[in-house]
Amino acid sequence: MMYDVIVIGAGVIGANIARELAKYELNIMVLEKNLDVCEGTSKANSGIVHSGYDAKPGSLKAKYNVIGNVLMEDLCKELVVPFKRNGSLVLAFSESESATLKILLDQGHKNKVKDLAILEKEAIIAKEPNINKNVYQALYAPSGGIVDPFELTLASAEVAFLNDVSFQFGTRVTHIYREDDAFMVVTNRGEYKSRTIVNAAGVFADDINNLISDTKYRILPRKGEYCLFDKQIGDLVTSTIFQLPTKEGKGVLVTPTAEGNLLIGPNSEFVDDKNDTSTSEEGIREVIRRAKQSVDNIPMPFVITAFAGLRATEKNEDFVIGEADDVPGFFNALGIESPGLTAAPAIAIEIAHMVAQKLEAKQSDNYIIKRNKTVHFESLSIKEKQELFLKDKNYGKIICRCELVTLAEILDSIKRPLGAKTVDGVKRRTRAGSGRCQGGFCSPKIVEILAKELGKDLREILKSSEKSTYLIGLDKDLL
Amino acid sequence: MDNRDIVIIGGGPAGLAAAISAYHAGVCDILILERENSLGGILNQCIHNGFGLHKFKEELTGPEYAERYVDQVHELNIEYKLETMVIDITEDKHVIAMNEIEGVIDIKAKTIILAMGCRERPRGALNIPGNRPSGIFTAGTAQKYVNIDGYLPGREVVILGSGDIGLIMARRLTLEGAKVKMVCEILPYSGGLKRNIVQCLDDYDIPLRLSHTITKIHGKERIEAVTVAKVDEFLKPIKETEEYVTCDTLLLSVGLIPENELTRKAGITINPKTQGPIVDSNLETSIPGVYACGNVLHVHDLVDYVSDEASIAGQKAAMFVKNSLISDDKFAVIAGKGVRYTVPSWIIDDSSIAMSIIRFRVDGVYKDHFVTIKLDNEKAYHKQKRILTPGEMEQVMILRKWIDAKPELKTIEILLEED
Amino acid sequence: MEKRQLTCINCPLGCQLEVVIDKGEIVSIENYGCQRGIEYAKKEIANPKRTVTSILPVIGGELPMVSVKTRTDIPKDKISECMHCLKDLKVGAPVKIGDVIVKNIGNTGVDIIATKKVDKKND
C-alpha cells in the first residue's frame, strides 16, 4: 500500500502538519515512536505564544513566529483549545539593561510585531503588582499569549484523524531508502511505502534527516527545567513575565498557564542524551533563583511538581523548513525549538502547501473542521452540570477530586478518536491527576477504569511508556 | 432542594462518631455524605491492628473499629449517601454534592460537620530531582492497591519517611512478598509510634536510616534506583555520603495535610500551622454552625482521639440545631514555647462544662520537660513528661474551677519548660 | 548478666523497658508503665509473639478482598510460615467479622479470622 505522505512525529508540529495536509485529498500516515501524541518536546514546554520581538530579523524563526502568533487565536477557536492573549513583559532592572529593551523593540518592529511599547516603572507595577519593585522599565508586547501545548497537539491530531489520517504509535523509524519512485520507511513494526516524507521528529529530526540526505544536520538537545505551582496562586501574575534574553535563550519566565496554574522556568543546559528529561537539583534551584529576580514573593510551598524538556536546537540555530536539496520529496520541519509552538500553525500551512504542490494534490471537499467538544465539567455552572448529568449519569461520578473530573470525561477521553491508552494520556486529556495531590486519590481509580475499558488486567496498565507499569503482581505472588 | 439539620461531610471514623453523638444529643435529621462506595473511610484500608486500645480496651484492626460505628449508624437508622462527592460548601451553609443517581444535590443545612479527613503530600511537593517514572507511590495509595484491590505495586521497595503509614507499609509489603530495602527519614528521629518501629522494621530486619533523604530518582519509564544521602544538621544532603540503591518502587510517607479544599472554598479561616480550620472548644469554625473534627481539623495519630473529638462536634452541632448553645465569650488559647499548635484555639466560657480538652503537638523532641498551662500569667498545671515528640499528639484538660478562680481571665497558654 | 532495652508494643506509649537477664532468666524489669509491660517483657524474652494481619481474595463477594488476622498472637518465627499457608487461599462470600478462615494456622493453635464483613455480590 502506497501512502502519499508519511509524517514522522506526532508532536505539535507533526500533528499540525497532518491537520493541514488533511485538507487535501491525500493518503496520509503519521508514525510516532511513543504511545501517544505529544510525548516529546511538545509535552514539556511553557505554552507561550510569543510575540516575535525576540527572533533575529530575516530568520525563519522570526517569519513563522509572527505569522503563527496571528493565526493561533483563530486556530484555537476552531479546534476549541484554551488560548489567552495575556500579553508579555520583558523586564529591565537598570538603565543599561533598558538598552537591550530598545534593541528588542527595534527587532520587533523589523519583524512586524504590532503594538510594542516601553513601559515605565509605575505602569509596570500598576499592571503587575507582584513584580519586584526594583524594576526599571519593561517592553510590553500585548500580542503575547498562552496555550495548552497538549490540547493544541491532541486537537490537531484528532481533526487529522477525523479526516482519515492514519496514526501508528509505538513505531520508531530506523531506516529510509528509495525504491523506484517512492520512499521505504523501515520501522520496528514493519515497512511503509510513501511518495513523500515529512520529518517532524523533534529532537531526533537530525537522525531522521541524516538517514537519507547528505546535507547533514546536528541537533544539540538543550534541556530546560520548570516548576509548576498550585492554581491557588495562578494569578500571581497575569502577563507572561520575561527577563532579558541571553545568548542561551529567552531566560527564566514567570507565567500563568492556560489552565490556571503558575509556571516558572526554563533554564538552559546542553545535554548529550536525547532521552534525558530528568530534573536536577541545581537546575531547579537555578530556575527558582532566577524566577525570583522577577517576582520574589513566589510562595514555594505551593509547588506541585517539576519537569524538564529538551529543545531541538539545530547547530545553526534557525528552523530548517522545506524540501531537502538532494532528496526530492523529503520535507524537513527541523530544529523546531522556541518559538516552535507559536510557529506551528504557520509551519504547518507552509509544509502542507509544499507537499501538496509536489504531489499536485487537490483540495478536499469534505474536510471536517469540528471535532467533538471536550467537556470541562469543573468550569460549568450548576445548571449546566445538572443538564449534562441528565444526558449521561456518568457525569454524576467524580473521579479526580482536585480538578473535579468526572467518569464521563474520563470515559470520553479513552473512547474518542486517538483516545487515551495510558494514565498520563487520561491525565493530559482530562486533567485528572494533575492537581495538588498529583493523582494520589484518583490514579488507582483511573487504572481500574482503563483496565475495564481496554479489557486488560490492572497489571498491564501503563503510566506512559511500555515499561511504565503500576502494579507488578498480586499480593503473595512473590512468596 | 433539601433541608437538613445536620449534614456530615465524610463517612469515616470522624463522620460516623459525630453522627452517632448528634443522634444521642437529640437530633435525628442527619445526613452523612461519603464519596467512596462504603462507610468507614480510611479505616477500610488500615487492615493492621492497634486501633481501639483506649476506646474499647481491645486491639482491633481498622475495619473492625469502623464496623463498631457503622453498626451503630445502621441501628440508629441514620441516613447516608454513598459515592457522593461534595463539590462546594457556601458561606450560607448550602452543601452542593454530586452522585450518579441524583446528579447535583443542593442541601440547605442548619449545621455542617466537616469530617473529610486528610490527603498525602506528593513527590512534587518535595521536588526530588530525576525523571517522572512509574513506580512512585504515596504510602496511602500503595496501601489502597495492596489492601483493597489485592495488587502488589513492586518487588524491591525503598520508603521515604518514617511516619506511621511508611512503617506500616514496610511491614505490609514484606508480608505480601516484596523486599523492603530501607526506610529513610530526613529527621534524626522517627515520626511514627515506637511500637511500629519494633513491629514493622526491627521484626523484619528492615534498616531505618535516620538523617537520610533521597536526592535523586533514577529510571525513565519505571523507577530503577534512588540516590540516598545523609543530611547535616540543617537537613542538607552531604554529597560525599551519596549511595546508589536499586529498587523498582519508591513509597513516599512524607506528610499528611487536612483535606481543606472545601474548607477554603467556604471561606473558613484556616490555621496555617495545621492547614485545618481554626475552631473553638465547641469545634465550631469561623462560620457559625459549621464544625470540624478528625483529620480534616488536624492530623491525628490515634483514631480513638478522632472518635472522641468527633463526638464533641456532633454533640455541639446538635445543640446548635436546638438553639441550646451558651454565650459567645471565649478565652484565647496560645501555643507557647515548644508548642507548635493547639486545637482548639479558643475555649468557650461555659460554666456547665467541667473540663475542656486541648490537644497539641510539640515542635521538637523534648526529654524530661514540663508541660505547663498558664492562665494569664499564672501556672495552673505543671507536669513532667519523659518524652515529647512532634509525632505524638498530646492532650491536657483545662478545668473549669481554674477559670472560675480567675474572673478577669483573657488567655490560656500551653508551653514547655525545662523545670 | 545482660541488659536489654525493649520497646513495649502493647499500646502507643511504647515504654522503653529495661530488662536485665541472667542465664536466660529475667532478673529485673524497669520503666514499665503498667502491668502489661511486665507481661510483654517476659514474653518477648522467652517466646516473642505477634499478631499477623493480611488480606485474602474473595469469591462472589461485593468486595474483592477480605482483611484477616490471627485471632491471637503467634510465635514471631512462625510469621513467614503463616503467610506461606495463606498463599493461594480464596474465601467464599458472605463473610462476617470473626468467621474462621483457617483453623490452626501453621500448627500454632491459632485460627485466622476475618476482620471485615463482605456480603454476597448482587447479580
Side-chain angles (χ1 to χ4, degrees):
Chain A
M1 136 96 147
M2 169 93 105
Y3 289 96
D4 295 312
V5 195
I6 284 182
V7 178
I8 303 175
V12 71
I13 302 298
N16 271 287
I17 291 173
R19 179 183 51 74
E20 287 292 338
L21 281 170
K23 292 177 178 169
Y24 299 91
E25 279 177 19
L26 291 168
N27 202 352
I28 306 159
M29 160 71 95
V30 178
L31 299 177
E32 165 55 54
K33 72 170 168 56
N34 294 305
L35 297 181
D36 199 353
V37 303
C38 200
E39 283 277 331
T41 303
S42 304
K43 176 172 79 172
N45 72 75
S46 48
I48 307 299
V49 180
H50 295 284
S51 299
Y53 51 77
D54 190 66
K56 206 165 85 177
S59 67
L60 292 181
K61 279 182 179 175
K63 173 181 167 191
Y64 289 105
N65 182 155
V66 178
I67 302 173
N69 178 293
V70 173
L71 292 174
M72 188 66 83
E73 190 158 10
D74 285 338
L75 177 63
C76 286
K77 259 202 207 91
E78 190 180 291
L79 297 175
V80 194
V81 167
F83 168 83
K84 224 186 268 180
R85 209 174 277 285
N86 63 327
S88 336
L89 289 170
V90 183
L91 305 182
F93 291 90
S94 67
E95 199 177 331
S96 60
E97 284 198 353
S98 68
T100 310
L101 294 185
K102 298 263 173 13
I103 297 175
L104 291 176
L105 182 68
D106 288 338
Q107 221 168 236
H109 285 147
K110 286 205 187 87
N111 290 338
K112 309 252 192 330
V113 180
K114 297 208 171 90
D115 301 329
L116 293 171
I118 301 279
L119 298 185
E120 298 300 323
K121 184 187 183 119
E122 247 179 56
I124 302 166
I125 304 290
K127 196 169 172 35
E128 296 286 356
N130 284 307
I131 284 184
N132 289 344
K133 303 289 185 281
N134 59 339
V135 69
Y136 181 79
Q137 269 185 347
L139 175 67
Y140 173 48
S143 61
I146 46 179
V147 72
D148 182 336
F150 180 78
E151 287 216 42
L152 179 61
T153 306
L154 177 66
S156 294
E158 247 183 63
V159 168
F161 184 86
L162 286 173
N163 286 289
D164 296 326
V165 172
S166 308
F167 281 78
Q168 187 124 314
F169 295 98
T171 307
R172 208 173 0 101
V173 173
T174 52
H175 292 97
I176 303 176
Y177 61 90
R178 290 215 73 112
E179 190 174 86
D180 307 321
D181 252 338
F183 289 100
M184 294 304 292
V185 180
V186 183
T187 74
N188 59 323
R189 291 181 62 177
E191 290 195 10
Y192 301 88
K193 200 169 183 183
S194 180
R195 292 161 67 199
T196 62
I197 295 179
V198 173
N199 175 15
V203 186
F204 298 91
D206 56 346
D207 298 327
I208 297 294
N209 172 86
N210 299 351
L211 286 176
I212 187 89
S213 168
D214 282 330
T215 310
K216 303 291 182 200
Y217 290 100
R218 175 120 181 269
I219 289 191
L220 308 163
R222 193 158 61 92
K223 191 194 284 191
E225 303 186 39
Y226 293 89
C227 279
L228 188 71
F229 293 79
D230 195 311
K231 281 181 178 178
Q232 270 177 64
I233 56 154
D235 56 359
L236 197 66
V237 295
T238 43
S239 343
T240 298
I241 312 298
F242 288 89
Q243 294 163 354
L244 291 188
T246 65
K247 61 175 173 57
E248 286 165 338
K250 293 185 179 65
V252 171
L253 43 85
V254 180
T255 183
T257 67
E259 298 297 325
N261 296 88
L262 186 80
L263 182 71
I264 65 173
N267 64 341
S268 169
E269 188 202 343
F270 283 102
V271 296
D272 295 318
D273 180 0
K274 284 182 175 179
N275 287 305
D276 175 14
T277 52
S278 60
T279 56
S280 64
E281 214 235 309
E282 309 79 30
I284 296 297
R285 228 174 333 125
E286 187 193 347
V287 162
I288 295 170
R289 181 182 58 82
R290 289 172 62 190
K292 285 189 170 182
Q293 284 168 354
S294 301
V295 180
D296 73 3
N297 61 347
I298 298 173
M300 292 313 299
F302 286 88
V303 134
I304 307 185
T305 188
F307 59 92
L310 296 173
R311 306 167 181 82
T313 306
E314 211 285 319
K315 214 157 57 18
N316 297 314
E317 296 190 346
D318 197 8
F319 294 163
V320 175
I321 310 270
E323 197 173 21
D325 289 331
D326 61 334
V327 189
F330 184 86
F331 295 86
N332 275 314
L334 186 153
I336 313 298
E337 54 167 347
S338 182
L341 178 70
T342 312
I347 294 175
I349 291 175
E350 179 89 350
I351 294 273
H353 178 72
M354 286 177 182
V355 173
Q357 266 207 321
K358 186 90 190 172
L359 295 172
E360 289 170 359
K362 273 176 33 209
Q363 298 249 4
S364 166
D365 286 325
N366 15 327
Y367 180 72
I368 305 167
I369 298 178
K370 292 266 176 263
R371 60 183 195 126
N372 246 337
K373 189 164 182 268
T374 48
V375 171
H376 188 209
F377 194 77
E378 193 235 340
S379 59
L380 301 176
S381 68
I382 299 286
K383 187 158 168 283
E384 288 168 321
K385 285 181 164 88
Q386 185 63 2
E387 275 166 14
L388 269 180
F389 167 77
L390 292 171
K391 292 199 198 119
D392 179 358
K393 67 177 177 70
N394 285 329
Y395 281 106
K397 179 121 182 88
I398 293 172
I399 301 292
C400 167
R401 173 245 292 121
C402 298
E403 298 285 320
L404 234 45
V405 182
T406 62
L407 177 61
E409 291 163 272
I410 292 173
L411 289 174
D412 175 64
S413 79
I414 298 169
K415 293 182 178 162
R416 66 188 296 129
L418 295 180
K421 294 190 174 51
T422 61
V423 175
D424 275 2
V426 170
K427 175 167 110 168
R428 291 211 194 89
R429 285 162 175 76
T430 62
R431 289 191 62 82
S434 58
R436 58 183 60 94
C437 89
Q438 291 286 287
F441 172 68
C442 66
S443 58
K445 295 177 195 283
I446 295 174
V447 168
E448 277 165 31
I449 295 168
L450 274 167
K452 183 159 174 249
E453 294 303 314
L454 301 177
K456 294 188 166 168
D457 184 87
L458 263 65
R459 285 164 284 184
E460 296 175 83
I461 300 303
L462 305 170
K463 181 177 183 284
S464 61
S465 58
E466 270 177 58
K467 299 202 185 86
S468 65
T469 51
Y470 280 86
L471 306 167
I472 59 102
L474 300 175
D475 291 344
K476 303 185 182 63
D477 265 358
L478 303 174
L479 282 179
Chain B
M1 187 177 64
D2 210 351
N3 276 292
R4 294 289 177 142
D5 284 345
I6 303 180
V7 174
I8 301 178
I9 307 181
L16 296 172
I20 293 162
S21 161
Y23 188 98
H24 287 310
V27 173
C28 316
D29 182 20
I30 302 167
L31 175 62
I32 303 174
L33 300 174
E34 166 54 51
R35 70 184 178 198
E36 293 291 351
N37 61 2
S38 61
L39 296 173
I42 205 72
L43 289 175
N44 286 329
Q45 65 184 61
C46 296
I47 64 146
H48 51 282
N49 59 346
F51 302 92
L53 282 162
H54 290 256
K55 264 217 141 329
F56 301 113
K57 305 283 182 284
E58 280 179 74
E59 206 177 346
L60 301 174
T61 61
E64 286 169 309
Y65 187 99
E67 183 92 344
R68 304 264 167 121
Y69 288 85
V70 174
D71 282 347
Q72 282 188 73
V73 163
H74 285 142
E75 276 160 36
L76 300 174
N77 258 318
I78 295 175
E79 196 185 334
Y80 59 90
K81 290 188 205 281
L82 299 174
E83 297 195 79
T84 302
M85 176 86 78
V86 174
I87 61 177
D88 203 1
I89 312 173
T90 65
E91 243 180 276
D92 57 349
K93 293 182 281 187
H94 273 258
V95 177
I96 319 280
M98 297 218 57
N99 66 31
E100 273 173 318
I101 300 172
E102 301 166 79
V104 180
I105 308 167
D106 183 349
I107 307 167
K108 174 107 183 72
K110 278 219 183 91
T111 65
I112 300 174
I113 303 181
L114 306 174
M116 297 89 79
C118 61
R119 61 180 158 88
E120 302 182 275
R121 275 178 85 210
R123 170 205 178 170
L126 299 177
N127 256 340
I128 305 177
N131 273 303
R132 272 113 5 247
S134 69
I136 302 173
F137 304 88
T138 50
T141 305
Q143 189 181 51
K144 200 245 175 204
Y145 280 124
V146 176
N147 292 348
I148 305 272
D149 301 325
Y151 284 85
L152 215 50
R155 292 186 171 80
E156 264 198 344
V157 186
V158 170
I159 299 181
L160 177 60
S162 67
D164 287 319
I165 310 182
L167 300 178
I168 292 290
M169 283 312 292
R171 178 176 64 182
R172 275 314 283 130
L173 290 168
T174 307
L175 287 177
E176 300 299 329
K179 169 119 187 84
V180 177
K181 287 182 128 177
M182 63 175 67
V183 174
C184 294
E185 167 56 56
I186 196 170
L187 295 176
Y189 51 85
S190 160
L193 299 172
K194 284 180 228 71
R195 69 194 300 234
N196 284 333
I197 306 278
V198 173
Q199 348 177 72
C200 300
L201 302 186
D202 297 343
D203 277 5
Y204 301 95
D205 293 321
I206 298 172
L208 171 64
R209 302 275 199 97
L210 295 175
S211 299
H212 276 72
T213 192
I214 292 176
T215 57
K216 195 164 171 117
I217 287 171
H218 303 270
K220 193 168 153 107
E221 300 193 54
R222 173 129 189 158
I223 188 171
E224 286 166 12
V226 290
T227 300
V228 174
K230 195 165 195 295
V231 298
D232 61 22
E233 72 255 48
F234 302 107
L235 306 186
K236 293 276 170 282
I238 304 167
K239 209 158 167 53
E240 300 72 37
T241 65
E242 276 179 356
E243 195 188 328
Y244 186 84
V245 179
T246 58
C247 62
D248 72 347
T249 310
L250 172 63
L251 247 59
L252 301 172
S253 171
V254 292
L256 297 171
I257 313 169
E259 195 63 270
N260 52 20
E261 307 248 353
L262 295 173
T263 318
R264 269 185 212 287
K265 265 189 167 182
I268 291 170
T269 313
I270 296 213
N271 182 342
K273 291 279 173 66
T274 59
Q275 295 298 314
I278 291 182
V279 294
D280 59 25
S281 49
N282 288 338
L283 300 182
E284 192 178 53
T285 67
S286 58
I287 297 183
V290 177
Y291 297 82
C293 54
N295 281 347
V296 80
L297 174 56
H298 57 145
V299 177
H300 287 254
D301 315 308
L302 299 178
V303 74
D304 310 60
Y305 290 173
V306 166
S307 302
D308 286 344
E309 187 173 81
S311 295
I312 295 178
Q315 182 199 35
K316 299 300 179 187
M319 287 168 75
F320 183 99
V321 169
K322 291 159 84 177
N323 279 319
S324 57
L325 277 177
I326 306 291
S327 80
D328 285 343
D329 276 355
K330 50 195 186 188
F331 313 108
V333 178
I334 299 182
K337 188 161 177 299
V339 174
R340 190 153 183 277
Y341 74 81
T342 70
V343 168
S345 303
W346 304 90
I347 302 267
I348 302 277
D349 188 7
D350 183 349
S351 53
S352 70
I353 294 184
M355 45 190 182
S356 290
I357 190 166
I358 296 183
R359 294 193 170 93
F360 64 95
R361 285 192 191 270
V362 297
D363 61 11
V365 180
Y366 295 92
K367 290 201 169 98
D368 294 324
H369 271 56
F370 288 81
V371 174
T372 303
I373 304 178
K374 283 189 185 166
L375 268 63
D376 284 337
N377 271 312
E378 219 179 280
K379 265 187 218 191
Y381 174 97
H382 186 71
K383 185 141 182 240
Q384 192 176 39
K385 277 217 84 170
R386 209 75 200 281
I387 181 125
L388 294 155
T389 90
E392 288 179 33
M393 191 183 285
E394 300 289 338
Q395 48 188 39
V396 288
M397 298 302 228
I398 306 296
L399 303 180
R400 181 67 208 180
K401 65 178 190 213
W402 301 341
I403 297 174
D404 288 336
K406 286 198 124 261
E408 303 298 316
L409 179 66
K410 293 269 182 324
T411 67
I412 299 172
E413 187 184 356
I414 320 271
L415 65 148
L416 302 186
E417 290 180 312
E418 273 181 43
D419 46 37
Chain C
M1 283 265 269
E2 184 202 340
K3 205 172 192 194
R4 263 215 263 170
Q5 193 167 71
L6 297 176
T7 304
C8 177
I9 62 169
N10 273 314
C11 84
L13 265 184
C15 297
Q16 300 292 297
L17 311 169
E18 290 190 359
V19 186
V20 177
I21 309 167
D22 190 19
K23 296 191 193 66
E25 295 280 318
I26 295 182
V27 170
S28 69
I29 304 172
E30 269 165 54
N31 276 344
Y32 54 87
C34 72
Q35 185 65 27
R36 293 199 349 226
I38 301 176
E39 300 305 323
Y40 174 77
K42 289 182 187 162
K43 217 164 134 186
E44 190 69 5
I45 300 294
N47 179 16
K49 287 185 170 184
R50 300 283 185 266
T51 303
V52 180
T53 58
S54 184
I55 41 154
L56 293 171
V58 178
I59 315 235
E62 282 207 324
L63 301 171
M65 308 295 284
V66 65
S67 49
V68 299
K69 71 178 182 190
T70 51
R71 194 198 294 275
T72 59
D73 50 14
I74 63 171
K76 204 166 117 180
D77 55 16
K78 286 278 200 171
I79 295 178
S80 180
E81 189 181 333
C82 171
M83 292 307 296
H84 276 92
C85 289
L86 292 177
K87 189 178 156 90
D88 299 327
L89 219 59
K90 294 196 198 348
V91 182
V95 191
K96 279 191 338 288
I97 291 185
D99 279 357
V100 175
I101 308 294
V102 182
K103 268 201 97 54
N104 186 16
I105 189 91
N107 258 319
T108 56
V110 177
D111 298 336
I112 295 276
I113 60 173
T115 56
K116 180 140 181 77
K117 177 158 85 97
V118 180
D119 291 326
K120 242 192 172 137
K121 191 186 246 187
N122 289 330
D123 279 310

